[in-house]
Amino acid sequence: MSLIPLSLARALICIAILLAGCASNAIYRSNYQPCTVSSGNACEQNSLHIYNPGADNEYTLGFVEIDDQGQIRDRRQMHALLDMLYAKAAQESVLTTVFVHGWHHNARPGDPNIEGFKENLAKLSAIEARLSEKLGRPARKIAGVYVGWRGESIDVPPFNYLTFWDRKSTAQDVGHLGIGELLIKLEEIANVRNAMQPPVRSRLVVIGHSFGGAVVYGATSQILAGRFIDSQQGKAYTGDAKGFGDLVVLLNPAFEALQYSPFYDLAQSRCSYFRGQLPRLAILTSEIDDATGILFPLGRIFSTLFEEHDDLVRTDCKHTLELDEGEADRSTVGHYEPLISHTLKPLKDGRSMLAATLETMESIWDLQTPGGSTRFDDMVLTHLNRTVPQNPYLNIRVDKEIIDGHNDVFNEKVMKFIRLLIELSTVDVDDDRDNVVNEYDECPKTAENSVVNDKGCAINQLCSCDVKWKTPGDFVSCTSLVSDGFLRAGLIGKNERKNILSAAVRSGCKNKKAGR
């Protein structure tokens, strides 16, 4: 009996190791009932978690798992999450944050990405509680959604690094199929709540890391383009650029710069933005991310070998872009220099710079200048003057002291920056401080301490003496009708209404000229 050749034996051993090291393709969270996490119960099999009930850092976390073909593994799991969020949004406003993990991660209990996401949700909840007390408004409840997919097909090091390009293909399927339905339904939950005109709006933020960034970009890119233009019948104006949900954040994303260049062109074709334009897409890439800076281009060299590429020159709004399509097709979006719009570095000097905080973020964001810098805690965001200030698409190169490589995305520095962006993008602005946010306020510039209805209008705005009335009686009739509505709504008392009517009779508003 002949012996098996040594080379063949080694090959068989390697194959056996690889087969034994195949990552699980089963669902991790198979119990779809809500579970309150405690020191004695980690709720590892549950897809719906409740943390710290009644505390300032209370939050909920739900899991949705997707298979290698981009399909929702069990639609009951997704519907359990959506049902819970619909019920919550019917009672109170919610800030929902979605996280889509990347390479080497999944929905397995104890995954480092899950733990980092949980910590960030708890801090967001504490921030909301603090802002609620400071601004005198209800706190939004914090809900997290962790989208799990098979970020690794082989668990055994170093063979798991060979899965990079295999997982890239899977990420494309996940982005183009099941996750799109999930994200749109999550946005619908926020919109349904906001249709009730709550005192504070529900919000949606989507974050993707690595191939999870590719997943999110694949699922939202066409929606972003459509909402940026916002073409609609009868529209005769250019307003703020809208996005998907309230903010999309991509951390060390693993997709080609060439896929992003049309959006760069789209945003650049608009030469100015209104004050108050908020960021809609923020891409953050570490300068030392070897996975997207070295491994990704190596793989793309072979897959683009027989493709034809051109050199393009754009000169929109006096900003010149020289686009090498070949290099852009081989490089990730965060490592292609011509498309980088900002840098984020540690604060080394200039400590006298006004820092953007939760309270000052909005006003400082409006003051951006070409080539200027903005301080975020102990970090500095610098505009590279390649785009127009207030451009809603940010492609940020991040210093290694802030993101130290591919997987260092849940450290406190970068999370603090992202939390500031989230609060900026989800702020409810109430310029006249009448407790009706601008988006719902049909009567801006209400006088201080005025009693207003749910549309932000005071009686003297609905029946204004600045309007030219045919007779004094018309003005009095208007005041009588509107004040009766305020009385029935419990906004004013009978004596207050009596005084308002007496003042209307004495006003003589017939002789006033139209002021608007």
Side-chain angles (χ1 to χ4, degrees), residues 52 56-57 59 117-127:
N52 314 319
D56 284 348
N57 61 346
Y59 66 93
F117 187 42
K118 285 160 51 177
E119 183 178 349
N120 196 51
L121 292 172
K123 290 180 178 178
L124 266 178
S125 183
I127 288 171

Side-chain angles (χ1 to χ4, degrees), residues 194 197 201 203 427-429 436-442:
N194 294 338
Q197 297 192 5
R201 289 169 56 81
R203 301 291 190 175
V427 68
D428 289 307
V429 181
V436 178
V437 299
N438 289 0
E439 194 159 354
Y440 301 143
D441 201 335
E442 296 183 4

Side-chain angles (χ1 to χ4, degrees), residues 44-331:
E44 290 187 348
Q45 301 302 313
N46 294 78
S47 65
L48 302 175
H49 292 183
I50 302 169
Y51 289 86
N52 314 319
D56 284 348
N57 61 346
E58 177 184 357
Y59 66 93
T60 58
L61 173 62
F63 293 84
V64 176
E65 298 175 60
I66 300 177
D67 67 18
D68 273 12
Q69 306 309 314
Q71 304 294 325
I72 302 291
R73 286 191 180 275
D74 189 338
R75 293 183 65 82
R76 292 176 300 168
Q77 186 188 58
M78 179 179 71
H79 286 307
L81 168 70
L82 295 174
D83 289 345
M84 181 187 73
L85 292 179
Y86 270 118
K88 184 179 289 290
Q91 302 298 324
E92 51 199 351
S93 295
V94 181
L95 170 54
T96 303
T97 304
V98 181
F99 181 78
V100 185
H101 67 77
W103 193 29
H104 296 321
H105 295 276
N106 50 42
R108 178 186 298 159
D111 186 286
N113 274 188
I114 297 176
E115 298 307 309
F117 187 42
K118 285 160 51 177
E119 183 178 349
N120 196 51
L121 292 172
K123 290 180 178 178
L124 266 178
S125 183
I127 288 171
E128 270 295 314
R130 191 165 69 249
L131 286 176
S132 168
E133 185 175 351
K134 184 180 181 73
L135 301 177
R137 63 157 172 81
R140 280 178 293 223
K141 297 300 181 182
I142 300 299
V145 177
Y146 186 93
V147 178
W149 58 286
R150 203 161 165 247
E152 192 120 83
S153 51
I154 298 173
D155 280 338
V156 181
F159 300 107
N160 58 340
Y161 284 90
L162 300 176
T163 66
F164 189 87
W165 296 278
D166 161 54
R167 295 299 89 192
K168 179 180 187 298
S169 175
T170 299
Q172 291 175 333
D173 289 337
V174 174
H176 292 146
L177 296 172
I179 194 174
E181 176 189 0
L182 170 66
L183 294 180
I184 290 171
K185 286 185 174 179
L186 289 172
E187 187 182 49
E188 180 185 48
I189 290 173
N191 290 339
V192 168
R193 172 63 181 172
N194 294 338
M196 303 175 189
Q197 297 192 5
V200 56
R201 289 169 56 81
S202 285
R203 301 291 190 175
L204 173 66
V205 175
V206 184
I207 303 173
H209 168 233
S210 181
F211 285 136
V215 168
V216 171
Y217 189 73
T220 63
S221 57
Q222 294 305 309
I223 299 174
L224 283 168
R227 292 183 182 176
F228 184 95
I229 299 171
D230 194 24
S231 175
Q232 55 183 277
Q233 187 174 357
K235 182 183 175 186
Y237 64 92
T238 299
D240 287 340
K242 296 179 174 61
F244 180 80
D246 295 283
L247 179 66
V248 174
V249 179
L250 309 179
L251 301 171
N252 289 333
F255 65 89
E256 296 81 354
L258 196 59
Q259 291 187 27
Y260 175 69
S261 62
F263 293 88
Y264 186 94
D265 289 342
L266 179 63
Q268 281 295 86
S269 65
R270 182 168 167 175
C271 297
S272 65
Y273 292 87
F274 296 112
R275 286 175 63 90
Q277 171 66 63
L278 299 176
R280 297 303 183 189
L281 171 66
I283 302 172
L284 290 85
T285 303
S286 171
E287 62 181 356
I288 59 167
D289 178 8
D290 291 341
T292 61
I294 297 176
L295 284 178
F296 190 99
L298 285 175
R300 291 296 293 165
I301 288 174
F302 299 103
S303 57
T304 62
L305 193 61
F306 299 104
E307 295 183 11
E308 295 292 332
H309 297 96
D310 293 325
D311 294 330
L312 304 177
V313 177
R314 310 290 196 210
T315 57
D316 291 314
C317 303
K318 300 180 181 180
H319 288 89
T320 300
L321 169 65
E322 296 180 358
L323 184 73
D324 180 336
E325 286 188 329
E327 185 181 353
D329 202 12
R330 292 185 291 271
S331 304

Side-chain angles (χ1 to χ4, degrees), residues 276 278 357 359-367 424 427 429 431:
L278 299 176
T357 66
E359 291 76 18
T360 64
M361 183 74 177
E362 183 190 2
S363 58
I364 290 180
W365 189 262
D366 282 344
L367 297 177
L424 169 66
V427 68
V429 181
D431 287 331

